[in-house]
């Protein structure tokens, strides 16, 4: 028996699919006589249209979907073209029309050599921007061999979509929602005649019914250390046969789910049943093995957020090795600044911190569990430890107030020295807390996102609830409220774009009993500030967020009115940030 696993565009071409690697490794171990092959058409697609253009499109969910939707539903091509042009105006309609025949021919070219004739099962990993490409590929595979079983899984396949898609789209026989190892193994066993004809709650006879919510008993793997290593051998064989020349980044999985899992806007954990993580020892073994096996030094953690305690142990062990690995990871804002230094010593070079907001009340309503000052401290710590920080600022969150916008603008003025955040207009994800209780967040109704109407026929949208939704309520008011923040973000980016100095825009040098602070501001000459004696000591004590009460206790000889006046002066000069009785020195150590 043969199984084929596919990850369609617009998955990143410069790294293998961890979903396919994990499933292949698991199935190979469960069924030694099974032939499991994985394929990454993203590689040949990138070669066909050019790596830079592929990367640009892959970073925009709607643009990528619009291209394959135009092939899948020709009657919607004009609407899909307009959507593509709106999302990527610098590429525009001409690029859309030029790419369609290239992608059309590419799809047939990459399907031709696939061993479909010998396959009983074809599985698609469907994540963001892969749905229309996967549906189109499934349709063409079914046209060639109607009896092959087609199963969809992945982060886009939410429980609601999984229940409805097989009945609405004939090329999809069934869907697996949640982690796929055990459900897919049961389905393989049923097709192989080794088990009853139900695979993890999925009926083997059409019309197929996806696993109910919650996940079927036994689908969740409690101990992630028992999983085999991801198998990326097929990806590297495809890369060697392609015309592309690069060294891939390798994805690794430390945990499943999110240890926080409370954010009001997040729906990334719909498919996970509980939070679990691997041990640091297992993760270290995995990284060492993949390094040696594939001769790669760049890794990306796929976690929603690294497990803090185990991550500390892992990076401490990595720091002791004479291997120049580099890692990307997503983390929550850390309260201990020395953890950033530890992560950097262990090879972490790029980090995405869940910033999302810079207003305390807005962060509370988002259920982030951090304060604005914590987010600013994370940005500062990343810069001080030579970590490239990627972060988003969510704009137009439902129910945002004018006061929260003003608080955001004040925090942005303090954040100016740090690399800028990216604006991210709020989108309503299916199953997130806002979606489940829209009225509590000021929404009067929830509907299908308008962009889907340009991508899929109304008959399909009536039956299949898509991942992104749209909320009605105060949307127009939110757009008006957040315009000053958009302008401030553009000015922030422009400031850093025009900078020529390699030094941080706000940094200090310590003279032992005095500090020299160097400060760059837009349109001003470079400023220098000196702090002597107790002033120096107070500023250094604020390297991490600290309460004014603690400062008064620590520096008992300083009167409260003197301290308040001193802190106010530093805040006015944008050398310090104050919020709710707490202070943070903004200058980084120029080492």
């Amino acid at each position: 028996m043969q199984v084929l696993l596919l990850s369609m565009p617009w998955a990143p071409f410069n790294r293998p699919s961890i979903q396919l690697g994990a499933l292949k490794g698991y199935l190979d171990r469960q069924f030694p006589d099974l032939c499991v092959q994985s394929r990454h058409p993203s590689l040949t697609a990138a070669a066909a249209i050019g790596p830079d253009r592929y990367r640009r499109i892959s970073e925009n969910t709607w643009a990528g979907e619009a291209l394959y939707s135009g092939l899948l539903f020709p009657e919607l091509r004009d609407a899909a073209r307009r959507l593509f042009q709106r999302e990527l105006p610098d590429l525009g309609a001409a690029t859309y029309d030029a790419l369609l025949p290239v992608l059309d021919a590419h799809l047939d070219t990459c399907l031709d050599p696939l061993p479909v004739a010998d396959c009983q099962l074809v599985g698609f990993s469907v994540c963001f921007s892969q749905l229309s490409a996967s549906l189109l590929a499934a349709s063409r595979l079914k046209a060639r061999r109607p009896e092959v079983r087609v199963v969809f899984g992945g982060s886009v396949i939410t429980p609601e979509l999984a229940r409805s898609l097989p009945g609405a789209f004939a090329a999809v026989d069934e869907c697996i929602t949640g982690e796929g190892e055990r459900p897919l193994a049961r389905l393989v066993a049923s097709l192989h005649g080794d088990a009853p004809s139900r695979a993890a709650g999925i009926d083997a006879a059409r019309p197929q019914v996806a696993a109910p919510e919650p996940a079927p008993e036994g689908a969740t793997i409690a101990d992630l250390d028992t999983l085999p290593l991801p198998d990326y051998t097929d990806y590297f064989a495809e890369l060697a046969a392609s015309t592309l020349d690069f060294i891939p980044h390798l994805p690794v999985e430390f945990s499943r789910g999110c240890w926080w899992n409370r954010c009001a806007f997040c729906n990334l954990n719909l498919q996970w049943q509980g939070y679990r993580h691997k041990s640091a020892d297992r993760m270290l073994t995995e990284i060492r093995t993949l390094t040696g096996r594939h001769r790669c030094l760049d890794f990306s953690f796929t976690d929603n957020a690294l497990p803090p305690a185990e991550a500390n142990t892992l990076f401490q062990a990595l720091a002791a090795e004479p291997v120049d690995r580099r890692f990307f990871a997503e983390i929550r804002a850390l309260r201990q600044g020395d953890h950033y230094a530890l992560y950097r010593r262990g090879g972490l070079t790029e980090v995405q911190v869940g910033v999302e907001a810079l207003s305390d009340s807005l962060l509370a309503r988002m259920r982030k569990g951090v304060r604005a000052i914590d987010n600013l401290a994370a940005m500062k710590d990343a810069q001080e430890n030579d970590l490239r920080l990627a972060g988003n600022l969510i704009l137009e969150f439902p129910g945002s107030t004018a006061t929260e916008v003003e608080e955001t603008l004040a925090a942005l003025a303090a954040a100016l020295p740090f690399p800028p955040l990216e604006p991210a207009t709020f989108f309503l994800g299916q199953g997130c807390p806002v979606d489940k209780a829209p009225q509590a967040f000021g929404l009067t109704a929830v509907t299908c996102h308008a962009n889907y109407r340009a991508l899929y026929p109304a008959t399909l949208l009536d039956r299949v609830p898509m991942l992104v939704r749209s909320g009605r309520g105060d949307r127009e008011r939110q757009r008006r409220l957040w315009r000053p923040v958009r302008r401030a973000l553009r000015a922030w980016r422009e400031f850093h774009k025009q900078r020529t100095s390699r030094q941080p825009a706000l940094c200090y040098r310590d003279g032992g009993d005095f500090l020299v602070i160097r400060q760059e501001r837009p349109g001003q000459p470079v400023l220098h500030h000196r702090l002597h004696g107790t002033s120096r000591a107070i500023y250094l004590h604020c390297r991490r967020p600290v309460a004014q009460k603690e400062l008064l206790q620590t520096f008992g000889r300083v009167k409260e009115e003197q301290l308040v006046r001193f802190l106010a002066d530093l805040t006015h000069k944008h050398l310090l940030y104050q919020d709710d009785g707490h202070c943070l020195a903004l200058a980084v150590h120029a080492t």
Side-chain angles (χ1 to χ4, degrees):
M1 179 178 173
Q2 292 194 18
V3 172
L4 175 64
L5 303 175
L6 290 169
S7 177
M8 299 299 296
W10 298 91
F13 70 86
N14 66 330
R15 64 178 184 237
S17 164
I18 192 167
Q19 295 88 348
L20 267 53
L23 292 171
K24 176 175 168 57
Y26 189 84
L27 292 178
D28 281 343
R29 188 174 70 178
Q30 296 295 114
F31 306 96
D33 60 340
L34 184 69
C35 178
V36 182
Q37 299 186 52
S38 61
R39 292 292 184 271
H40 300 75
S42 54
L43 282 168
T44 46
I49 70 172
D52 291 338
R53 182 179 290 172
Y54 184 99
R55 187 179 291 108
R56 179 75 195 286
I57 295 170
S58 70
E59 292 171 351
N60 186 300
T61 299
W62 298 113
E65 291 278 30
L67 283 161
Y68 282 101
S69 172
L71 297 172
L72 182 60
F73 304 111
E75 70 276 15
L76 294 175
R77 190 168 296 169
D78 289 342
R81 182 189 296 109
R82 289 192 294 270
L83 175 59
F84 180 90
Q85 187 173 9
R86 187 166 67 247
E87 292 295 313
L88 296 177
D90 57 319
L91 297 182
T95 299
Y96 182 89
D97 291 333
L99 286 177
L100 279 194
V102 176
L103 293 174
D104 194 12
H106 163 262
L107 183 57
D108 283 333
T109 300
C110 72
L111 292 180
D112 285 339
L114 295 180
V116 181
D118 300 320
C119 280
Q120 285 73 40
L121 177 65
V122 177
F124 286 84
S125 172
V126 189
C127 299
F128 290 106
S129 75
Q130 290 183 292
L131 182 57
S132 59
S134 299
L135 291 173
L136 179 62
S139 299
R140 294 191 180 180
L141 286 174
K142 276 287 192 178
R144 300 178 183 207
R145 189 159 175 259
E147 67 274 18
V148 71
R149 295 287 286 277
V150 172
V151 59
F152 275 26
S155 60
V156 166
I157 308 302
T158 62
E160 290 186 23
L161 190 146
R163 282 190 287 268
S164 56
L165 184 60
F169 200 85
V172 180
D173 292 304
E174 48 229 315
C175 293
I176 292 174
T177 186
E179 50 200 275
E181 287 95 346
R182 286 177 176 171
L184 187 59
R186 292 174 188 172
L187 180 55
V188 168
S190 71
L191 294 175
H192 200 254
D194 298 336
S197 60
R198 283 187 70 81
I202 302 175
D203 195 340
R206 286 190 64 89
Q208 307 301 337
V209 179
E213 189 180 5
E217 185 179 355
T220 297
I221 297 172
D223 185 359
L224 300 186
D225 282 2
T226 63
L227 288 170
L229 267 63
D231 188 334
Y232 297 140
T233 53
D234 288 343
Y235 172 85
F236 279 89
E238 293 176 83
L239 176 59
S242 76
T243 60
L244 300 173
D245 183 19
F246 63 89
I247 298 177
H249 288 232
L250 297 184
V252 287
E253 179 187 50
F254 207 160
S255 62
R256 293 184 176 180
C258 176
W259 61 268
W260 178 252
N261 196 26
R262 302 174 196 173
C263 297
F265 52 83
C266 181
N267 68 342
L268 296 178
N269 297 291
L270 295 180
Q271 294 85 8
W272 302 120
Q273 298 296 317
Y275 175 70
R276 292 141 291 145
H277 60 75
K278 295 175 183 175
S279 67
D281 287 343
R282 161 56 198 264
M283 197 70 253
L284 182 62
T285 298
E286 192 166 322
I287 290 169
R288 287 171 172 168
T289 303
L290 293 174
T291 299
R293 179 181 296 171
H294 301 297
R295 321 307 286 175
C296 293
L297 294 170
D298 295 298
F299 292 82
S300 296
F301 287 101
T302 61
D303 308 55
N304 290 329
L306 288 183
E310 292 296 324
N312 293 344
T313 304
L314 172 66
F315 282 111
Q316 189 169 13
L318 290 169
E321 296 193 347
V323 182
D324 297 326
R325 299 186 187 92
R326 294 177 182 171
F327 295 90
F328 163 83
E330 295 190 31
I331 64 173
R332 282 177 54 80
L334 302 174
R335 297 293 177 93
Q336 292 81 19
D338 56 348
H339 287 179
Y340 292 91
L342 171 61
Y343 289 4
R344 185 64 183 87
R345 290 195 302 273
L348 189 67
T349 57
E350 184 174 359
V351 60
Q352 180 159 335
V353 177
V355 174
E356 271 75 68
L358 291 172
S359 159
D360 285 349
S361 60
L362 187 53
L363 284 164
R365 200 158 63 257
M366 289 180 174
R367 305 174 187 173
K368 285 292 299 179
V370 296
R371 305 162 298 175
I373 201 169
D374 298 319
N375 283 334
L376 288 169
M379 297 166 69
K380 173 191 171 183
D381 287 329
Q383 185 178 52
E384 194 158 52
N385 290 285
D386 194 26
L387 283 167
R388 180 184 174 190
L389 184 142
N392 297 322
L393 191 70
I394 295 178
L395 311 183
E396 302 172 18
F397 188 79
S400 297
T401 66
T403 299
E404 288 167 343
V405 169
E406 290 300 320
E407 290 170 350
T408 301
L409 289 170
L412 288 178
L416 178 74
F418 312 133
L421 301 172
E422 288 296 319
T425 302
F426 171 79
F427 77 88
L428 185 59
Q430 182 196 122
C432 74
V434 177
D435 181 49
K436 291 180 177 179
Q439 288 77 18
F441 293 88
L443 299 180
T444 57
V446 172
T447 63
C448 177
H449 197 286
N451 285 353
Y452 284 123
R453 300 190 185 98
L455 301 175
Y456 298 100
T459 52
L460 188 144
L461 294 177
D462 288 341
R463 303 178 64 182
V464 179
M466 293 296 184
L467 187 65
V468 182
R469 306 193 184 191
S470 182
R472 294 176 183 168
D474 64 346
R475 186 166 53 186
E476 289 302 321
R477 177 175 176 271
Q478 291 302 323
R479 286 176 180 170
R480 291 193 300 271
L481 276 177
W482 286 91
R483 282 172 188 160
V485 175
R486 291 189 184 276
R487 290 194 293 269
L489 289 172
R490 288 194 294 268
W492 191 6
R493 290 194 298 272
E494 188 62 26
F495 168 68
H496 282 270
K497 182 179 179 181
Q498 293 182 357
R499 291 187 64 242
T500 57
S501 174
R502 298 182 63 182
Q503 298 184 70
L506 181 62
C507 57
Y508 72 87
R509 297 165 62 194
D510 193 352
D513 62 350
F514 69 96
L515 290 181
V516 175
I517 302 175
R518 179 185 182 276
Q519 181 183 33
E520 296 179 37
R521 300 291 294 176
Q524 299 180 24
V526 175
L527 303 176
H528 292 89
H529 312 268
R530 283 189 179 88
L531 298 179
H532 302 269
T534 303
S535 297
R536 165 194 172 274
I538 292 174
Y539 195 78
L540 291 178
H541 200 82
C542 296
R543 282 177 295 184
R544 301 292 306 158
V546 59
Q548 284 190 23
K549 292 180 179 179
E550 180 180 327
L551 293 175
L552 287 170
Q553 292 172 354
T554 303
F555 302 95
R557 295 183 179 180
V558 178
K559 295 181 179 180
E560 183 173 1
E561 58 270 22
Q562 291 176 310
L563 179 66
V564 169
R565 190 164 53 250
F566 174 64
L567 296 177
D569 181 60
L570 293 177
T571 302
H572 176 72
K573 294 174 179 176
H574 299 290
L575 304 178
L576 186 100
Y577 178 74
Q578 292 191 77
D579 180 42
D580 193 27
H582 289 74
C583 307
L584 172 68
L586 297 171
V588 301
H589 196 183
T591 57

